[in-house]
Amino acid sequence: MKKIASLFALVLASVVAAGCSANQASTLQAAADGSDPTVCRQIETTGTRFRERVCKTASTWAKIDAEAAENAGEIQDRYNRGAIATAPATGFGN
């Protein structure tokens, strides 16, 4: 039984190592070609403790970040102008 478990661990480790080296090689090749390199991020998902790994090109991440910043700025502007109503505070002392 120990031989099967150790064999399984060895196979799993080699598969993981091969996947990591292939991803690094493609990223290095993309950088050497002058094309857009792939960037991976860990994204938090509501309802789970685990993060999801998402890989996109650097230019795509830049567009996503710019759009998120623009959306956050628009929401803050609407709140500051009073266009977004807030609920009255309830709790102790009210």
Side-chain angles (χ1 to χ4, degrees), residues 33-78:
D33 293 343
S35 61
D36 213 4
T38 302
V39 178
C40 296
R41 293 184 182 180
Q42 300 290 327
I43 306 296
E44 293 182 10
T45 305
T46 303
T48 181
R49 293 180 299 154
F50 300 106
R51 293 180 173 189
E52 178 183 2
R53 185 175 186 209
V54 178
C55 298
K56 298 184 183 291
T57 61
S59 61
T60 303
W61 282 121
K63 290 176 187 176
I64 290 171
D65 292 340
E67 186 175 325
E70 182 180 344
N71 289 339
E74 288 177 7
I75 290 171
Q76 287 178 347
D77 289 343
R78 287 191 302 183

Side-chain angles (χ1 to χ4, degrees), residues 4-45:
I4 294 173
S6 62
L7 180 62
F8 178 73
L10 180 63
V11 170
L12 181 63
S14 64
V15 168
V16 170
C20 291
S21 63
N23 188 20
Q24 291 172 350
S26 64
T27 302
L28 292 175
Q29 182 181 5
D33 293 343
S35 61
D36 213 4
T38 302
V39 178
C40 296
R41 293 184 182 180
Q42 300 290 327
I43 306 296
E44 293 182 10
T45 305

